[in-house]
Amino acid sequence: MLAITCAALWSHAALAAGSPPGGGHGAQAAGAAPAMAAPDKPYGDWKKLTTGADAQHGFFNVYKKRESLYLELTPEQMKQPVLCIVSYAHGIGSNFLLGGLPLGDHLLEFQRAGDHVLVIEKNTRFVASNNDPMAKAVDLSTGSSVLASLKVESEDDGKVLVDLAPFVVSDLPDLAEQMRFALAGPLGPRSMRFDKDRSALGKIKVFPENAEVEALLTYSPNDRTGLDVSAVSDERFIPITVHYSFSKLPEHPMQPRIADDRVGYFLTAVKDFSKDDNESFWVRYVNRWRLEKKDPTAAVSEPVKPIVYYIDRTVPVQYRPYVKKGIENWQKAFEAAGFKNAIIAKDAPDDPDWDPEDVRYSTIRWITSSEPAFGAIGPSRVDPRTGEILDADILVEASIVQGYRNIYRRYAGPDAIAENAVPWMQAQHWPSFLPLDLRCDMQQGIADGGALMNIGMLADGSLPPGSPVPEEYIGQAITEVTMHEVGHTLGLRHNFRSSTSTPLDKLSDVAWTSQHGLTSSVMDYPTPNISADRSKQGQYFTSTVGDCDDWVIRYGYTPTGESDPQKDRAAIEKIADESTNNGHEYSTDEDTYPADALDPRSNIFDLGNDPLGFAKDRTAYIQSLWRNGKLPERILGKEGDYPTLRRAMDTLLAQYATALGMAVKYVGGQYNNRLHHNQDGAPLVPVPAARQRDAIDFLARRAFAADAFSASPQLLNELAPDRWSHWGMPSAFGSGPASRLDYNYNDRVLAIQSALLGALTAPNLMARVREAESHVSNPFRLSDEFELLTHAVWGEVGAPGLAMKALEGPSTRRELQRAYVDRLSAMVTSPAPGTPDDARALARLQLTKIDQRITRAMAAGATLGDYARAHLLETRARIRRTLDARRLADVPGPAGPGRFASPVSQP
């Protein structure tokens, strides 16, 4: 069969070439003149194609001529790895379509294939040692993708010329798909199309070790229903500029260092099929710079090549000293690893030939966004073979400083404020297409915390009314952000547990925090250190890299002298074993954000070794601010605008919600320790029952009590909205929370309370509570949680005394009680996937108990007002519909056992 197929193909090819089917060259037709062989010139003339072109020579030689970008490829450049970094050069200033954000990293090779050159993205995920037979198996079993096939336009002495323009002026980054979700409409994802006719080549720059190409691309929405992209001049044509960076990889790959899960580094992970004697094929390298000692025998030596960051001319002059300090503060950590002057800050030279896009220069740059999204990010390019960091460019949004200076952050409404109470809701702000190492929201914590600091300083008279935060504090915040983002570009991941390295009583000790840091790692998301007692005020922002940072840098950068990665690992492992030392506490994003994160010590925007104690202090402080009768005059002064006060109140509520949310993970929580078997302790330790009860008691007082959010009517009546009507502002004729003219305080409060209730009764949390009952001798039980919540929300109903007067007050108390009943009812009638059966049974029991409370309250009807009576009657009806529905669902008949049935549908 194979022979027949090959013969058929050969026959087809011969016919296509003009040969007769008889085989060979075939006989000429009678009387035909002999055929003349045409000269074999399949390609264009090199000189003609390049004459008049804008030529640039360097890493690649390129020739731009009209709409073509000719790329010269030598035989030596074929089949050689090239690192290609694709990113946004210019976005639209919103929806995470922002200049500077990455789109993908690719390891490319150019391979000649007849009249074409294939652009191949190499598969770097699977490897095997070159001298191992397994390498042939890997090559046989894995494939590399062909991204493009470029026609050979000319050939000269082994060199070829191809047109790169069709490769870059295309939707190769798959932006049409990405924008479907970034610009999603009211009906869901919005389909987009790439408009080739409105797209073109942009800037082209070639340097000794890299070539930079930009493409000006246009996309059009197929459906503009509900589309609001005010930063674009015509939303029918959405402009995106994509930047392609082709750079050289080291001729001699760096010695990689094997990673350890106890030490927080970004990873280059591969499956090495040569390791078939290991538990798994995974090999993980830390991402780090290549640092080598000038004097290998010295305990501390200068490096052969230091890490240099250039402060770009886009950085405002007054902030450059703070940025420089943030970079060079890392020198202390590198000294612990044996290097002196390993990291240096320089001002970008005033030289037209110097360019931040040259891969030889790592930079810090300021950018602008119409709608701030990330504050600051620290992307870097990494050799996928070894984890070597080759270059880094930190981007800081200019609006981050405005966030520090102002006493507010814009929120969209109640739901946006409520998200602060639940960490995994906050994490949803980052789109899934953004790489994990760039999902950094430190700016929110510092800007919001800075706003709280400003409000507090105004309220207690530390600042004159209407004043912004002084530049002294702005500079400290910029230094802290710079240290954080530089840390990312050194390879370090977030460390959200490092705040617990500092005892609460040391936060006001300037001498202690100057040496160790407010947190043991600048890779945390801290909040400004604010003391309600100004006589005990410490540093507002951390001023140094911390003890944990020193330790992590030692692990990644201390030379061992070993040339084999496994021997290097054995030599360096003793540093990782220090993970149990005080000051080396570590947990990261996946320990903090997911809905099943279980360690209450791993939080964002907290301080001190007792997160619950911090939450108690912070909520008490914030509550005192909005109940301060002088708050409006202290914030507004004589000439302030009321919308400023409105946004300040939003800030207070958001910060209050953040502090409340720290209590949630104590319930059903476990202390998760990153330990290896040779270390003392247990990797999982359930939170003691008393501590879990304490957390719910705290929420009962500060979140669910009838007076937890009480505020003066005078303040609420001064929270006026902006009344501007133009692009970029909420429409006066719109709908939704952003268009409300009154300050819907009750909605904001209920949103926070509902978010907390939802988190406390989430299926995974309840499952953890139930599971932990078998892990300790004196457990906190799921029945305890339900009983405490019911008492917190419904405790006054049916109780003797005047407590029920709260039901005649603001609607929040009644709405919270109904929200809790609805939550219990949903567990009974339509539980979310994963809800434990015990939780459904306990929910039904609590509904019965609430019904009994209502019965007792109704018996004292003479003392009930209309609001209370109507509320209790409505709630009782809801409860009985739920309980009756469950009973009827178990009755054989038309509804069927276990199926939901309405009581009114039965005789």
Side-chain angles (χ1 to χ4, degrees):
M1 184 65 184
L2 179 61
I4 294 172
T5 303
C6 291
L9 288 172
W10 174 259
S11 175
H12 178 77
L15 286 169
S19 300
H25 292 288
Q28 284 182 268
M36 298 294 294
D40 186 12
K41 291 186 177 180
Y43 311 125
D45 181 85
W46 188 292
K47 184 175 181 180
K48 184 176 180 180
L49 286 173
T50 58
T51 297
D54 178 12
Q56 296 189 51
H57 301 280
F59 177 57
F60 284 128
N61 294 339
V62 299
Y63 308 86
K64 185 178 187 301
K65 188 172 183 180
R66 294 188 290 274
E67 294 184 1
S68 294
L69 178 62
Y70 295 117
L71 170 68
E72 176 185 313
L73 293 169
T74 66
E76 294 76 23
Q77 289 171 322
M78 292 292 185
K79 295 189 177 182
Q80 289 300 308
V82 175
L83 185 61
C84 177
I85 309 293
V86 187
S87 60
Y88 289 101
H90 303 286
I92 62 173
S94 65
N95 299 77
F96 281 94
L97 305 175
L98 305 172
L101 287 182
L103 286 166
D105 298 359
H106 312 272
L107 186 66
L108 303 183
E109 278 189 9
F110 296 98
Q111 293 185 15
R112 180 72 181 266
D115 292 339
H116 291 78
V117 171
L118 303 180
V119 184
I120 296 177
E121 180 173 6
K122 299 297 292 181
N123 190 334
T124 61
R125 296 176 177 176
F126 308 99
V127 300
S129 300
N130 290 332
N131 57 356
D132 192 314
M134 191 64 73
K136 295 181 179 179
V138 171
D139 185 60
L140 181 67
S141 304
T142 60
S144 296
S145 300
V146 178
L147 301 184
S149 177
L150 308 178
K151 180 184 175 184
V152 174
E153 304 291 344
S154 187
E155 186 174 33
D156 180 34
D157 194 24
K159 300 181 296 182
V160 298
L161 210 62
V162 297
D163 187 0
L164 197 63
F167 177 73
V168 296
V169 185
S170 70
D171 192 30
L172 181 67
D174 205 19
L175 286 180
E177 177 67 15
Q178 182 171 308
M179 292 169 68
R180 286 182 65 228
F181 300 95
L183 300 175
L187 300 179
R190 185 190 307 277
S191 64
M192 308 289 293
R193 66 183 182 276
F194 170 63
D195 191 337
K196 183 179 180 180
D197 292 336
R198 289 182 172 86
S199 301
L201 283 169
K203 293 187 298 183
I204 297 150
K205 298 179 183 179
V206 176
F207 303 98
E209 296 183 2
N210 62 299
E212 309 296 307
V213 180
E214 289 186 358
L216 315 176
L217 309 180
T218 298
Y219 292 84
S220 297
N222 291 317
D223 179 6
R224 290 188 291 127
T225 303
L227 181 63
D228 180 16
V229 189
S230 58
V232 175
S233 54
D234 189 329
E235 61 187 25
R236 293 175 299 171
F237 312 111
I238 299 174
I240 300 289
T241 302
V242 172
H243 189 106
Y244 292 85
S245 176
F246 304 92
S247 60
K248 179 181 179 181
L249 286 171
E251 183 177 351
H252 301 290
M254 181 189 72
Q255 167 68 46
R257 173 152 293 172
I258 293 176
D260 191 292
D261 65 317
R262 297 166 292 179
V263 188
Y265 274 92
F266 292 118
L267 306 177
T268 293
V270 298
K271 280 193 170 183
D272 187 343
F273 288 98
S274 304
K275 309 295 184 183
D276 56 358
D277 55 344
N278 292 354
E279 182 183 357
S280 76
F281 294 115
W282 284 110
V283 177
R284 304 171 180 92
Y285 301 134
V286 302
N287 290 353
R288 59 176 185 153
W289 293 82
R290 186 189 301 226
L291 279 184
E292 300 166 336
K293 287 185 175 182
K294 282 184 179 179
D295 181 359
T297 64
V300 179
S301 167
E302 290 194 342
V304 174
K305 181 181 179 182
I307 305 167
V308 179
Y309 289 84
Y310 288 88
I311 303 172
D312 191 64
R313 292 186 292 272
T314 56
V315 179
V317 174
Q318 67 270 31
Y319 300 140
R320 292 178 190 176
Y322 304 118
V323 172
K324 181 176 182 180
K325 182 178 179 182
I327 296 168
E328 296 192 339
N329 275 354
W330 280 99
Q331 289 182 355
K332 177 175 77 77
F334 281 98
E335 286 176 6
F339 290 96
K340 181 181 180 181
N341 297 324
I343 182 167
I344 298 171
K346 293 183 178 181
D347 289 326
D350 189 11
D351 180 349
D353 293 331
W354 186 90
D355 196 309
E357 293 180 11
D358 190 329
V359 74
R360 294 173 296 173
Y361 307 126
S362 294
T363 62
I364 294 184
R365 289 183 276 176
W366 245 237
I367 65 170
T368 61
S369 300
S370 174
E371 297 176 16
F374 54 78
I377 58 173
S380 56
R381 64 185 79 197
V382 176
D383 187 339
R385 303 169 300 177
T386 63
E388 178 182 358
I389 298 173
L390 305 172
D391 170 60
D393 293 285
I394 295 170
L395 305 174
V396 179
E397 287 186 320
S399 56
I400 193 172
V401 176
Q402 185 185 54
Y404 300 154
R405 290 194 180 280
N406 287 327
I407 61 171
Y408 65 89
R409 181 174 185 265
R410 289 184 181 274
Y411 292 91
D415 291 339
I417 291 174
E419 286 178 3
N420 288 47
V422 186
W424 55 87
M425 292 176 68
Q426 296 180 50
Q428 294 172 2
H429 289 300
W430 288 99
S432 59
F433 56 75
L434 199 62
L436 183 63
D437 57 333
L438 292 174
R439 299 182 191 181
C440 186
D441 210 4
M442 181 189 187
Q443 179 265 352
Q444 177 187 338
I446 290 189
D448 287 3
L452 176 62
M453 180 179 77
N454 193 358
I455 294 169
M457 296 174 76
L458 290 169
D460 68 14
S462 300
L463 289 176
S467 299
V469 172
E471 187 165 308
E472 172 191 358
Y473 302 111
I474 302 301
Q476 293 174 15
I478 290 173
T479 296
E480 185 172 56
V481 167
T482 302
M483 288 190 292
H484 182 97
E485 299 305 333
V486 168
H488 279 318
T489 63
L490 297 175
L492 276 60
R493 292 198 63 186
H494 288 136
N495 183 355
F496 294 138
R497 199 178 139 201
S498 76
S499 53
T500 63
S501 301
T502 304
L504 274 175
D505 61 0
K506 291 293 186 182
L507 292 174
S508 59
D509 187 338
V510 175
W512 197 92
T513 58
S514 295
Q515 178 181 356
H516 302 281
L518 283 170
T519 58
S520 67
S521 174
V522 296
M523 305 314 297
D524 208 330
Y525 282 1
T527 187
N529 179 32
I530 304 168
S531 175
D533 183 351
R534 290 296 173 194
S535 67
K536 297 180 180 180
Q537 180 61 54
Q539 291 180 301
Y540 285 104
F541 302 97
T542 198
S543 59
T544 182
V545 297
D547 296 342
C548 189
D549 298 318
D550 293 348
W551 169 60
V552 174
I553 291 295
R554 279 200 297 124
Y555 182 86
Y557 288 90
T558 299
T560 66
E562 298 289 351
S563 59
D564 178 81
Q566 293 298 332
K567 292 181 179 179
D568 176 78
R569 162 67 176 157
I572 210 72
E573 189 171 16
K574 59 182 179 294
I575 295 179
D577 286 341
E578 298 174 18
S579 65
T580 56
N581 291 5
N582 291 335
H584 294 178
E585 291 79 4
Y586 168 64
S587 66
T588 191
D589 298 71
E590 56 266 29
D591 303 309
T592 307
Y593 286 126
D596 59 353
L598 75 167
D599 193 333
R601 301 170 302 180
S602 187
N603 298 297
I604 56 176
F605 313 141
D606 68 332
L607 288 170
N609 62 343
D610 179 4
L612 185 57
F614 171 81
K616 292 177 181 179
D617 291 345
R618 183 57 64 97
T619 52
Y621 174 64
I622 295 172
Q623 201 176 67
S624 73
L625 291 177
W626 82 59
R627 291 177 178 174
N628 184 337
K630 295 184 178 181
L631 183 66
E633 66 182 77
R634 296 297 304 171
I635 287 181
L636 300 178
K638 294 181 179 179
E639 299 179 356
D641 296 325
Y642 281 115
T644 303
L645 185 62
R646 182 185 181 110
R647 290 187 287 267
M649 189 64 186
D650 274 355
T651 292
L652 292 177
L653 285 175
Q655 289 286 289
Y656 193 79
T658 296
L660 290 172
M662 292 173 193
V664 172
K665 280 193 287 190
Y666 281 90
V667 182
Q670 296 190 39
Y671 301 129
N672 185 11
N673 304 303
R674 290 176 177 251
L675 298 173
H676 287 188
H677 193 254
N678 64 320
Q679 296 174 292
D680 294 334
L684 293 171
V685 179
V687 174
R691 195 65 166 157
Q692 297 188 54
R693 292 189 182 92
D694 190 16
I696 293 184
D697 286 345
F698 160 68
L699 291 174
R701 292 193 311 275
R702 296 296 187 191
F704 301 138
D707 62 348
F709 290 89
S710 62
S712 73
Q714 179 183 353
L715 172 64
L716 298 179
N717 289 331
E718 291 181 326
L719 305 179
D722 279 310
R723 300 299 287 135
W724 297 106
S725 181
H726 55 75
W727 73 268
M729 300 298 291
S731 170
F733 300 98
S735 60
S739 64
R740 288 282 295 259
L741 298 183
D742 63 326
Y743 190 75
N744 48 342
Y745 184 65
N746 290 341
D747 291 345
R748 284 162 162 78
V749 170
L750 183 63
I752 294 171
Q753 294 173 326
S754 297
L756 291 168
L757 277 181
L760 288 167
T761 56
N764 48 7
L765 184 144
M766 293 188 296
R768 289 200 305 270
V769 173
R770 187 183 63 167
E771 174 64 30
E773 293 181 22
S774 60
H775 292 217
V776 293
S777 58
N778 182 28
F780 178 80
R781 300 177 301 172
L782 191 58
S783 59
D784 297 331
E785 180 188 353
F786 275 86
E787 192 67 25
L788 288 172
L789 286 177
T790 298
H791 186 267
V793 177
W794 280 90
E796 74 273 22
V797 175
L802 302 177
M804 283 187 56
K805 284 190 174 181
L807 298 185
E808 292 293 335
S811 64
T812 50
R813 187 61 179 170
R814 300 187 296 275
E815 289 173 340
L816 172 63
Q817 290 179 342
R818 288 194 290 265
Y820 180 60
V821 165
D822 290 346
R823 184 75 180 174
L824 295 174
S825 297
M827 282 188 229
V828 173
T829 60
S830 54
T835 300
D837 282 345
D838 280 342
R840 299 177 65 185
L842 289 168
R844 180 171 181 173
L845 174 62
Q846 294 305 316
L847 288 173
T848 302
K849 289 187 175 184
I850 293 170
D851 187 61
Q852 292 169 353
R853 285 178 176 273
I854 292 174
T855 298
R856 292 196 299 270
M858 296 292 288
T863 63
L864 296 177
D866 285 351
Y867 261 140
R869 184 178 295 276
H871 164 59
L872 296 177
L873 286 172
E874 167 62 20
T875 304
R876 170 181 278 177
R878 294 187 187 192
I879 291 172
R880 292 187 174 177
R881 279 198 299 270
T882 297
L883 298 179
D884 288 345
R886 290 304 303 160
R887 283 194 292 271
L888 289 168
D890 293 329
V891 175
R899 295 174 59 190
F900 182 84
S902 170
V904 298
S905 67
Q906 301 295 322

